[in-house]
Amino acid sequence: MTGSVAPEADWDSAPGLLDGAKDLELGPERCDLAYWITSVAQGTLRGRGETGHHPDATVPAFLKAPGPLREALVLEFGFRGLAEELATRLLGHYVAIAPGVPEMEFYATQLLDEARHARVFRNHLVELGVPAGTLLKDIEAMAADYRRRVLDPVVDFTHDIVRDQADFPGGVAVFAIVIEGVLAPAAELSERKWTPLSPATGEISRGTAIDEIRHLTVASTILRDHVARHPEYRPRLLEILRAGVRLWDEIPDREFVLHREELFQKGMLEHADMVGDYEIWPGVRMIDTTAEQRYDMAEQWTDEMAEARMAYMGLPLEVLSSTPGTGSAS
């Protein structure tokens, strides 16, 4: 491994999350500890290691003042920060039971990634004016219902597979296909919708999305190779995925996401002059979209990513079929 930054980790050349997660092929042997040090710590994060954004990328004054746009961002990053903290704690079990050094090193780096994500999401709230001294308690109180109804069931499900059953490939499937596979499109939406409004917020979302590309693609390679070596595991893997889909169908994530998207809608219209003709996706101005349309587009991105990754692993897409109208874009 040389000291150069890998293209998919370079801030300027890395693809967007959707394209990268669908098209790139990365494995744990490539994305080892040396890769993380040179391409991530010294590449993606160069100049952005402390806050997740460059010092020149500022937070606009209107996001520090009370209003629906600030409230939407506090909710979004508060919830995402808590989710990333819980993900960090879960990943310790992956490191412990990884079958080889490449997998151990990769999940050790993902643990660091998720811990960093949690930190920059939390600390961005301080940049918005949330008191640093009460930050953790404020997030805990704000997200209590979300944690109980959305996050805790997912944590319990993952613990059963990776901690209690010590099923490493099953745990990889839960984290990458079920958890991150559902949440990653929301990270793409976050980057797109905040970029024209707040340079700092957009950069934080950009940096976390670059990491998610690596997490999703490496996990897909681990699962593809495991099933190729152990075809007898395939039924077990499919059942875990079905159980994960059933879990997401039962979780009331939509109400939390739409609530903050409706707040974003109000705030966006208040600052329509800043949004202008910015297109959130090709041919569609963000100012013309509704909360429901943005949510539905994130779900469409989820389906597109799932189709590409399941094909890459040689698994049937039908196993991820969800009841119409359910699913997540948190």
Side-chain angles (χ1 to χ4, degrees), residues 10-20 44 48 52 73 76-77 80 121 183-213 260-261 264 278-281 286 294 298 301 329-330:
D10 182 83
W11 188 270
D12 296 317
S13 66
L17 175 56
L18 296 182
D19 291 336
T44 308
R48 299 175 173 87
L73 182 52
E76 180 178 331
F77 272 30
R80 290 181 70 187
F121 288 145
L183 300 183
E188 173 81 6
L189 178 61
S190 180
E191 179 183 352
R192 294 189 187 202
K193 75 183 188 185
W194 289 111
T195 291
L197 291 163
S198 170
T201 309
E203 284 207 356
I204 290 171
S205 296
R206 165 72 169 162
T208 57
I210 291 173
D211 290 340
E212 299 299 351
I213 294 171
R260 67 178 186 244
E261 284 299 327
F264 179 86
Y278 170 81
E279 294 187 353
I280 191 168
W281 52 81
M286 184 164 76
R294 293 191 298 275
W301 291 337
S330 96

Side-chain angles (χ1 to χ4, degrees), residues 226-244:
H226 184 80
V227 172
R229 291 191 301 265
H230 303 280
E232 72 280 3
Y233 187 80
R234 181 184 173 95
R236 161 74 172 169
L237 174 59
L238 296 180
E239 179 49 42
I240 288 173
L241 294 177
R242 292 189 188 98

Side-chain angles (χ1 to χ4, degrees), residues 36 40 45 80-92 94 106-122 175-176 179-181 183-184 187 207-209 211-216:
W36 190 89
V40 181
L45 301 180
R80 290 181 70 187
L82 178 58
E84 298 281 12
E85 177 193 337
L86 296 179
T88 304
R89 298 178 186 279
L90 283 172
L91 284 164
Y94 288 72
F106 170 73
Y107 278 101
T109 66
Q110 183 171 341
L111 186 152
L112 283 172
D113 287 337
E114 309 294 10
R116 185 189 73 82
H117 297 173
R119 178 182 178 84
V120 297
F121 288 145
R122 289 194 307 265
F175 211 103
I179 300 176
E180 289 198 299
L183 300 183
T208 57
D211 290 340
E212 299 299 351
I213 294 171
R214 184 168 62 258
H215 302 166
L216 290 165

Side-chain angles (χ1 to χ4, degrees), residues 18-330:
L18 296 182
D19 291 336
K22 288 191 291 185
D23 299 335
L24 281 176
E25 180 175 348
L26 298 170
E29 290 80 7
R30 171 170 168 76
C31 296
D32 57 10
L33 187 56
Y35 175 103
W36 190 89
I37 292 170
T38 56
S39 286
V40 181
Q42 299 174 4
T44 308
L45 301 180
R46 184 182 295 117
R48 299 175 173 87
E50 183 176 356
T51 62
H53 63 82
H54 195 276
D56 293 339
T58 58
V59 180
F62 66 81
L63 272 181
K64 300 179 182 180
L69 206 56
R70 179 182 183 276
E71 186 178 352
L73 182 52
V74 169
L75 284 173
E76 180 178 331
F77 272 30
F79 286 10
R80 290 181 70 187
L82 178 58
E84 298 281 12
E85 177 193 337
L86 296 179
T88 304
R89 298 178 186 279
L90 283 172
L91 284 164
H93 300 292
Y94 288 72
V95 175
I97 66 170
V101 170
E103 295 87 354
M104 181 199 70
E105 286 197 0
F106 170 73
Y107 278 101
T109 66
Q110 183 171 341
L111 186 152
L112 283 172
D113 287 337
E114 309 294 10
R116 185 189 73 82
H117 297 173
R119 178 182 178 84
V120 297
F121 288 145
R122 289 194 307 265
N123 289 349
H124 195 47
L125 302 189
V126 177
E127 294 183 292
L128 300 178
V130 176
T134 59
L135 178 64
L136 295 178
K137 289 184 178 179
D138 290 343
I139 293 175
E140 182 180 352
M142 174 179 65
D145 194 36
Y146 180 72
R147 175 169 184 165
R148 178 180 62 83
R149 299 173 63 197
V150 176
L151 298 180
D152 284 347
V154 175
V155 169
D156 292 343
F157 180 75
T158 311
H159 271 152
D160 178 57
I161 302 295
V162 72
R163 181 192 64 188
D164 301 340
Q165 299 183 47
D167 182 346
F168 179 77
V172 172
V174 170
F175 211 103
I177 309 302
V178 178
I179 300 176
E180 289 198 299
V182 171
L183 300 183
E188 173 81 6
L189 178 61
S190 180
E191 179 183 352
R192 294 189 187 202
K193 75 183 188 185
W194 289 111
T195 291
L197 291 163
S198 170
T201 309
E203 284 207 356
I204 290 171
S205 296
R206 165 72 169 162
T208 57
I210 291 173
D211 290 340
E212 299 299 351
I213 294 171
R214 184 168 62 258
H215 302 166
L216 290 165
T217 53
V218 171
S220 297
T221 297
I222 290 173
L223 290 173
R224 180 200 64 180
D225 293 349
H226 184 80
V227 172
R229 291 191 301 265
H230 303 280
E232 72 280 3
Y233 187 80
R234 181 184 173 95
R236 161 74 172 169
L237 174 59
L238 296 180
E239 179 49 42
I240 288 173
L241 294 177
R242 292 189 188 98
V245 171
R246 289 194 297 269
L247 174 67
W248 273 117
D249 284 349
E250 297 166 0
I251 286 174
D253 192 45
R254 181 184 177 93
E255 67 180 76
F256 293 96
V257 179
L258 280 181
H259 172 61
R260 67 178 186 244
E261 284 299 327
E262 287 162 359
L263 288 168
F264 179 86
Q265 187 77 14
K266 294 178 183 177
M268 174 182 67
L269 294 176
E270 289 178 359
H271 298 278
D273 57 325
M274 292 194 63
V275 177
D277 292 328
Y278 170 81
E279 294 187 353
I280 191 168
W281 52 81
V284 178
R285 299 193 313 165
M286 184 164 76
I287 199 69
D288 296 330
T289 63
T290 66
E292 290 80 6
Q293 286 172 329
R294 293 191 298 275
Y295 182 93
D296 290 344
M297 180 55 73
E299 285 203 320
Q300 180 179 321
W301 291 337
T302 300
D303 293 341
E304 292 174 4
M305 287 177 55
E307 182 176 359
R309 286 183 291 111
M310 294 295 278
Y312 173 75
M313 292 183 290
L315 299 174
L317 182 62
E318 307 83 67
V319 75
L320 298 183
S321 296
S322 175
T323 304
T326 64
S328 172
S330 96

